[in-house]
Amino acid sequence: MQPPSQDRPAAVGDPLGAATHDTVDDTADDTTVDTDPPKVPLPPVRAPHPGHPRYAAGTTARRTGPGARTTAAASEATVVIEGDIAPRRLRRPSDLLRLALAVLTAAVVIGISYVASATTSGIESDLSQATGRIPTILLDLTSWVGVLGAVALPIGVSISLLVRRRGRLLMEALGALLLAIVVGAVLVWALRSYGSPQLLQALTGRTIESDTNPLNPIVAGLVALTAVARLIERPRWAVASIAVIAAIALLNIVGATLTVIGLLLSLLLGWSIGLLVRYTAGTPSTRPSGLEVARTLEATGYPLSVLRASAMTRGGRRYTATTRSGQRLDVLVLDRDLEGDGLLPVAWRSLRLRQDDGGNGLTMRRRLEHSSLQAYASQVAGASTPRLIVVCQVGADAALLAYETLDAEPFAAVADDLTDGDLDRAWLAVKRLQDNHVSHRTLSADNILRDPHGGVWLVHGEEGSVAAGDVSLRLDLAETLCTLALLTSADRAVNSGLRVMGRVRLARALPALQAVGLSPATRHAMRKRKDLMGDLRDRLLDLNPGVEPEQIQIERLKPRTLLTLIAGTVAGYVLLTQLAQVNIAELAASADWRWAGVALVLSASTYVGAAMSLTGFVPEKISLVRTMLAQLAASFATLVSPPTLGAVAVNVRYLQKSNVHPALAAASVGVSQVMAFIMHIVLLLGFGVLAGTQSELDVPVPTWALIVGVVLIAMLLLALVLPVSRNWLRKRVQPVLAQVGPRLLTLTQRPAKLAEGVGGILLLNLSYCICLVACVRAFGGGGGVAAIAVVYLAGATLGQAAPTPGGLGAVELALSAGLTAAGVEGSIAVSSVLLFRLFTFWLPTIPGWFSFNWMTKNNLL
């Protein structure tokens, strides 16, 4: 497929370097390379016979050695194929993806059968009754097929592969067969010897050892053989292999020697091992060679004189080519062998970012269609992009796109020589795409080029989209700003954007100035210039002074959020396990609700202390009542974030809305957090001394905990000794100290404020400690006050480090274990902790929700 020709400047020079000419001699061991380009066609050499794999009509070819370069000569010109990068064998990404899918499916099957063992046992019972009605003659036939097929299938496959001269594939297939049988047998022995009763119940339907096996190694071996030999891709062998495996499976189920769960796991085990062997050993490549690429281009009207392999890409490879008429091309070859490559990064990016373009596809056909549509849309828009002149298929397993070569250098190579005119023309190229709703999405310094005539070009826009949405277009504006600012300065980048895009249009980039939305190359460069993003935001904010900046949530899912969800699920399971040990009705009847009322009042007083601990470290005057409401709102925020992170974010935002400068707001919250940590440690040590003096706290420390503690201390000391880790710590600690130090020095000159802050921290911690004591007393529990205070302070420390919302799960486990060690009965300890968490974590979220919404609506948060 070729688009209609368009008028455009002719490319000058070769930005990728002049091609070299190889002369291949049959009688020599080495290849002689002439460094000058060919001036005249070489004389033709002896042609191979028509059955030769390198034979092409109208050309002659010769190859010496496995690493030699190929030279082909025609009667009128010469085609030289240099450094072909198509390997003979490769590891297909699709095999790795299928392996991951098989392992994940096996884990899901085991998990479901483990949790719902009663349901699976019922299914087995129904299936046994159904198979009991199968006619005897059919069972006899199935028996013959299964027994003979288990022997005949491997033999038949071996003969077939030997006849086809596929000896290596035969060895791999038989190796996978034996490996699957051995692994299956080892797993059967391990499950019978060491498996828990519930696991055996899930896999065999019985809690004790019986004739029913958890797996069938023979089935696993035959599936592995089928996967490696690719029998499913050959119709006759596919029918034979499915029939044999199905017959063996039916015999095992009828004979009650294998369950449905065991059959599924046997199939998945064999498939996994087959895919593992196939991926490890590699698969014969079906990629077309460079000579086939040259033939295809010649058939479309572009006979080549030089074709050079230049780079590997996510979906194929790139070539630089020169036609016999002197025209130079950039050729992108997409290979079916690489389908699925980059799936995980693409899937994670799609899941993480709120952008409505699909990006480039994962299959060869999808990539071909997307890239050609993107190129044609850019040409129609009049954008300065390379012209796509050929789109066609290369054999059955590849396709190519040929672009005109640009005689231009990337901005990254001419950064010191960029003029304001260059920046304006870069913005103009982006503007043309934006005017036609075409996104680029990889506007890094390597993808913006400048030609010798001063023209600016945008290349490698395959990741963009046509009819792009607002978010994608804003992200292109933001990345252009970042790229030009990295090459020059924030002022020059913004001023240039103003000249071309205008103030209103350029300001649309402000909410999209987020590192996560940039392409990997630009994001990596911005990490080295952390101040640059802030400078760009400040310059854009100055364009509309007094106007509230628009907010766009680009990230749909943060890594921390994903970790929180996983940890929250585990914590919820742990919490439900604890609740299952408690009789709620009996708990309510036996509790002394006078103590519970005291605990509720103490829980409320913690919000007074939290408000004082914040206002005390802010020299500016702010309302104590509104600060208490902000603390309630923070308690709601901890439902969806780890405890410290949610409270810090709410407090910083609240102070900013209270007319405190953002830098001073962050410094005040930092001082509050540092002082809270110091006071927490002081209280922990103080109550620890009291508890130890009273001999009321006897917590046995297990050996593994001592080992872990020693290892952590050794790692910390090593980190302080090594220059790399010491510099890393200094870079992160120094900014905090530089921010907190001046603010703390200011507060030392106002003793009343400092006393208010420290008093609030003491009130906060002591209220929590006595609240836990009251909850223990509500159920008649013992234990000294000092010991219970130590339990709370230690448990709260663990809760702050937990990634779950509000420390869910970690706090409950730590407090329950600590109270038990402090002398509280186990059932009372669990009940006390649940009541404590009800008063201090769950109930406050109700008024916290109202507070959060009210403060947000009134622009206080």
Side-chain angles (χ1 to χ4, degrees):
M1 180 173 68
Q2 302 181 39
S5 62
Q6 299 181 9
D7 295 334
R8 54 169 283 140
V12 181
D14 185 359
L16 299 176
T20 59
H21 169 222
D22 292 353
T23 303
V24 181
D25 185 0
D26 278 341
T27 62
D29 294 333
D30 299 322
T31 300
T32 304
V33 180
D34 181 5
T35 58
D36 295 327
K39 303 299 183 181
V40 295
L42 290 178
V45 295
R46 176 170 45 86
H49 60 83
H52 193 277
R54 294 291 181 181
Y55 176 80
T59 64
T60 57
R62 181 173 296 172
R63 192 178 182 93
T64 60
R69 297 176 177 181
T70 303
T71 302
S75 58
E76 299 180 354
T78 301
V79 174
V80 180
I81 301 173
E82 305 172 318
D84 198 336
I85 55 177
R88 298 181 60 184
R89 298 182 70 87
L90 77 159
R91 295 184 175 94
R92 293 186 175 181
S94 56
D95 288 339
L96 185 60
L97 294 175
R98 292 188 184 102
L99 175 60
L101 177 63
V103 173
L104 180 62
T105 305
V108 171
V109 169
I110 293 175
I112 293 176
S113 61
Y114 187 86
V115 174
S117 56
T119 303
T120 55
S121 297
I123 295 175
E124 292 296 333
S125 177
D126 296 340
L127 191 60
S128 298
Q129 294 178 7
T131 54
R133 302 188 183 94
I134 298 177
T136 305
I137 186 172
L138 185 58
L139 290 176
D140 292 340
L141 180 62
T142 303
S143 177
W144 280 102
V145 172
V147 173
L148 294 179
V151 178
L153 183 63
I155 295 176
V157 171
S158 301
I159 295 173
S160 174
L161 292 177
L162 286 174
V163 170
R164 294 163 54 200
R165 297 182 179 181
R166 304 292 296 275
R168 175 168 176 170
L169 182 60
L170 172 60
M171 298 301 296
E172 293 170 0
L174 293 179
L177 169 68
L178 295 176
L179 179 62
I181 292 175
V182 171
V183 172
V186 171
L187 288 176
V188 169
W189 170 79
L191 290 170
R192 285 181 174 275
S193 302
Y194 303 104
S196 64
Q198 188 172 355
L199 183 59
L200 289 175
Q201 171 73 24
L203 300 182
T204 65
R206 296 166 178 79
T207 57
I208 58 175
E209 186 176 347
S210 62
D211 294 335
T212 304
N213 293 315
L215 296 169
N216 189 317
I218 301 300
V219 171
L222 292 176
V223 172
L225 173 73
T226 303
V228 174
R230 297 182 180 273
L231 300 184
I232 299 299
E233 299 175 3
R234 307 183 66 191
R236 294 182 180 179
W237 284 108
V239 173
S241 58
I242 291 174
V244 170
I245 294 172
I248 297 174
L250 181 60
L251 289 175
N252 279 266
I253 290 177
V254 172
T257 58
L258 190 67
T259 63
V260 175
I261 299 298
L263 173 61
L264 289 175
L265 292 178
S266 301
L267 295 173
L268 291 170
L269 175 64
W271 192 33
S272 301
I273 291 178
L275 291 171
L276 179 62
V277 171
R278 201 162 79 182
Y279 183 77
T280 304
T283 303
S285 173
T286 61
R287 300 183 190 181
S289 65
L291 184 59
E292 292 172 288
V293 173
R295 283 195 214 128
T296 302
L297 285 171
E298 183 172 1
T300 60
Y302 292 89
L304 303 182
S305 62
V306 176
L307 180 71
R308 171 189 292 174
S310 58
M312 292 292 297
T313 67
R314 194 185 69 183
R317 49 216 153 110
R318 291 189 181 274
Y319 289 89
T320 59
T322 303
T323 67
R324 294 171 191 169
S325 63
Q327 183 181 13
R328 290 179 297 110
L329 307 174
D330 288 328
V331 182
L332 173 63
V333 179
L334 303 175
D335 297 304
R336 198 180 300 277
D337 280 345
L338 294 178
E339 287 185 345
D341 188 22
L343 174 63
L344 292 181
V346 170
W348 171 243
R349 185 174 179 84
S350 300
L351 182 65
R352 185 180 183 185
L353 300 185
R354 297 178 182 271
Q355 55 180 0
D356 50 2
D357 59 73
N360 213 338
L362 295 173
T363 65
M364 181 199 76
R365 177 59 56 181
R366 177 74 177 87
R367 283 175 174 165
L368 178 70
E369 293 172 350
H370 182 91
S371 298
S372 57
L373 177 61
Q374 183 77 4
Y376 290 149
S378 300
Q379 290 172 208
V380 171
S384 301
T385 57
R387 188 164 69 94
L388 178 63
I389 58 177
V390 176
V391 180
C392 63
Q393 190 162 331
V394 185
D397 297 305
L400 68 81
L401 301 97
Y403 301 84
E404 284 186 342
T405 298
L406 299 174
D407 181 17
E409 291 182 286
F411 270 23
V414 293
D416 296 334
D417 192 34
L418 290 175
T419 65
D420 288 344
D422 295 331
L423 303 187
D424 291 350
R425 285 185 284 274
W427 277 112
L428 182 60
V430 174
K431 183 177 183 293
R432 288 176 178 172
L433 291 178
Q434 298 259 320
D435 289 342
N436 291 270
H437 299 279
V438 178
S439 67
H440 190 283
R441 298 299 293 112
T442 53
L443 289 167
S444 64
D446 291 322
N447 292 339
I448 306 178
L449 312 183
R450 186 184 69 179
D451 64 28
H453 306 288
V456 174
W457 304 84
L458 307 179
V459 298
H460 300 162
E462 295 89 356
E463 297 297 328
S465 62
V466 177
D470 181 67
V471 174
S472 296
L473 297 178
R474 287 174 183 254
L475 288 172
D476 272 358
L477 290 175
E479 181 157 14
T480 305
L481 267 176
C482 292
T483 298
L484 299 183
L486 285 166
L487 297 170
T488 57
S489 66
D491 288 338
R492 288 185 64 188
V494 173
N495 292 335
S496 176
L498 282 173
R499 289 192 295 269
V500 177
M501 305 297 293
R503 179 177 58 83
V504 175
R505 199 164 182 180
L506 185 64
R508 295 175 65 248
L510 176 58
L513 278 173
Q514 303 179 36
V516 69
L518 305 176
S519 65
T522 307
R523 184 168 61 246
H524 179 72
M526 290 294 289
R527 286 175 181 167
K528 299 178 180 179
R529 299 273 305 276
K530 295 182 179 180
D531 59 324
L532 191 56
M533 187 75 79
D535 292 342
L536 288 172
R537 289 198 184 102
D538 292 340
R539 289 286 286 110
L540 293 181
L541 283 172
D542 292 340
L543 298 180
N544 296 290
V547 177
E548 182 70 20
E550 186 181 358
Q551 300 293 330
I552 293 181
Q553 188 67 28
I554 295 178
E555 279 190 288
R556 178 187 293 113
L557 181 65
K558 298 180 180 180
R560 185 183 294 114
T561 304
L562 183 61
L563 177 63
T564 300
L565 289 174
I566 296 174
T569 302
V570 175
Y573 177 79
V574 172
L575 187 59
L576 290 175
T577 304
Q578 288 183 336
L579 289 174
Q581 304 173 8
V582 179
N583 188 326
I584 302 298
E586 182 180 348
L587 178 67
S590 61
D592 186 345
W593 291 103
R594 291 173 298 179
W595 279 108
V598 173
L600 185 60
V601 172
L602 289 168
S603 175
S605 68
T606 60
Y607 291 93
V608 179
M612 293 172 58
S613 68
L614 180 62
T615 58
F617 296 107
V618 180
E620 294 81 2
K621 184 175 180 59
I622 56 177
S623 170
L624 181 63
V625 175
R626 288 183 177 177
T627 308
M628 289 177 59
L629 293 176
Q631 305 314 302
L632 280 171
S635 69
F636 170 72
T638 57
L639 276 178
V640 292
S641 65
T644 303
L645 294 178
V648 168
V650 169
N651 285 332
V652 171
R653 182 70 174 173
Y654 165 70
L655 291 179
Q656 291 177 359
K657 291 294 184 178
S658 300
N659 298 321
V660 179
H661 190 276
L664 296 179
S668 296
V669 174
V671 171
S672 176
Q673 292 294 318
V674 170
M675 293 300 296
F677 174 76
I678 294 174
M679 296 304 300
H680 192 94
I681 297 299
V682 170
L683 289 173
L684 181 60
L685 293 175
F687 280 116
V689 171
L690 289 176
T693 303
Q694 298 169 2
S695 302
E696 293 174 347
L697 185 61
D698 183 16
V699 181
V701 181
T703 304
W704 65 266
L706 292 174
I707 296 175
V708 170
V710 171
V711 171
L712 290 176
I713 293 173
M715 291 177 62
L716 179 61
L717 293 176
L718 185 63
L720 294 175
V721 171
L722 294 177
V724 175
S725 55
R726 189 169 62 247
N727 292 334
W728 182 85
L729 287 172
R730 183 169 58 249
K731 288 179 181 179
R732 278 151 181 80
V733 172
Q734 276 185 344
V736 176
L737 295 179
Q739 193 178 48
V740 170
R743 197 65 164 171
L744 188 58
L745 183 62
T746 302
L747 291 169
T748 56
Q749 301 173 7
R750 302 182 63 178
K753 274 287 186 180
L754 191 60
E756 179 186 356
V758 174
I761 295 173
L762 290 174
L763 176 61
L764 175 69
N765 284 283
L766 292 177
S767 295
Y768 275 128
C769 292
I770 302 174
C771 180
L772 182 58
V773 173
C775 291
V776 172
R777 298 293 188 263
F779 295 101
V785 173
I788 295 176
V790 170
V791 169
Y792 163 73
L793 293 169
T797 303
L798 293 176
Q800 297 293 333
T804 56
L808 188 65
V811 172
E812 285 80 7
L813 285 175
L815 294 183
S816 298
L819 289 177
T820 303
V824 180
E825 186 179 343
S827 59
I828 294 178
V830 172
S831 303
S832 303
V833 170
L834 293 178
L835 183 62
F836 174 76
R837 292 289 279 173
L838 175 67
F839 287 158
T840 60
F841 179 67
W842 295 108
L843 285 182
T845 59
I846 299 174
W849 181 80
F850 288 103
S851 176
F852 187 88
N853 283 305
W854 181 82
M855 296 188 74
T856 302
K857 290 178 181 178
N858 289 275
N859 200 29
L860 297 173
L861 199 60

